[in-house]
Amino acid sequence: MPRLKSQVFCLVYNKLTGFCLICPITSTQRSFGTYVTIDHPGKVKGEIVTHQIRSMDFEKRKLEYVEQCDPVTWARVLSTIDQFI
């Protein structure tokens, strides 16, 4: 799925359902193909665990926005998830 298309899908999905798709981030470094290292870390550092993707109700869980993922890491996350979905 092209990047713009996936972003539009996520926004529509979030607005219609009140849910968001998330992947946990760990500080433990592993050499698994489903772990994606954050290329340009800001506040959040570590590896994104793409095989643990889940859907969460961001309103009930009171999730907090921290920062936006850099474009290189985002593309690698989408590519990795695309391999197993």
Side-chain angles (χ1 to χ4, degrees), residues 3-85:
R3 186 172 154 206
L4 181 58
K5 203 175 194 182
S6 66
Q7 289 174 335
V8 171
F9 169 77
C10 288
L11 292 173
V12 171
Y13 176 81
N14 294 355
K15 189 168 184 125
L16 290 176
T17 64
F19 280 71
C20 62
L21 297 174
I22 65 159
C23 293
I25 298 172
T26 181
S27 59
T28 304
Q29 293 192 347
R30 306 237 159 124
S31 59
F32 299 141
T34 57
Y35 281 65
V36 176
T37 302
I38 298 173
D39 282 338
H40 304 287
K43 293 179 184 175
V44 179
K45 298 166 179 56
E47 293 188 333
I48 302 167
V49 187
T50 61
H51 67 270
Q52 291 185 11
I53 189 170
R54 56 191 65 157
S55 181
M56 290 191 131
D57 185 331
F58 61 85
E59 292 171 349
K60 290 199 179 190
R61 294 276 184 154
K62 296 182 172 82
L63 298 181
E64 180 183 331
Y65 177 86
V66 176
E67 67 183 334
Q68 184 171 338
C69 183
D70 68 89
V72 173
T73 302
W74 179 246
R76 289 180 41 226
V77 167
L78 292 178
S79 175
T80 303
I81 291 172
D82 193 43
Q83 292 178 29
F84 59 84
I85 289 188

